[in-house]
Amino acid sequence: MEREPNLVISCASQRVVEDGVPFKVDIYKLEGGDGWSLEVVTEDGTYIVWDDLFEDDQAAFEEAISTIRSEGAVAFANGGSNVIPFRQ
């Protein structure tokens, strides 16, 4: 029986504050995997996950910061136009 691959967490994962708004940037990949996944978590627990994988963890981190800045931290934290809320 094959074991499941481990999850590798990048040291580039960190808490970021932009314009006074805190975000958690999570960058990870499956052990032996080809690309890095990126997700940003807002203070209210909303997860924004990128569909595409990144060649390296630094590229993923730079994309997170660039997107937060270009969208505006407050707009980004409030869900933007493409967030689908789950039923409570």
Side-chain angles (χ1 to χ4, degrees):
M1 176 184 275
E2 277 189 59
R3 70 174 180 84
E4 294 291 317
N6 292 320
L7 190 63
V8 178
I9 310 283
S10 166
C11 62
S13 296
Q14 58 188 282
R15 184 175 180 273
V16 175
V17 177
E18 186 68 33
D19 293 333
V21 179
F23 297 93
K24 184 176 170 216
V25 177
D26 289 327
I27 303 166
Y28 53 88
K29 71 176 185 172
L30 292 177
E31 183 179 42
D34 290 331
W36 292 89
S37 296
L38 169 63
E39 83 182 16
V40 173
V41 184
T42 64
E43 188 173 37
D44 68 358
T46 300
Y47 287 73
I48 298 97
V49 180
W50 274 248
D51 290 331
D52 297 325
L53 297 177
F54 295 85
E55 189 173 317
D56 59 53
D57 57 347
Q58 190 59 41
F61 180 77
E62 290 170 6
E63 175 66 21
I65 297 304
S66 172
T67 301
I68 291 168
R69 288 180 179 160
S70 70
E71 296 290 325
V74 173
F76 196 82
N78 290 335
S81 62
N82 63 350
V83 171
I84 302 168
F86 288 102
R87 278 190 185 168
Q88 301 263 339

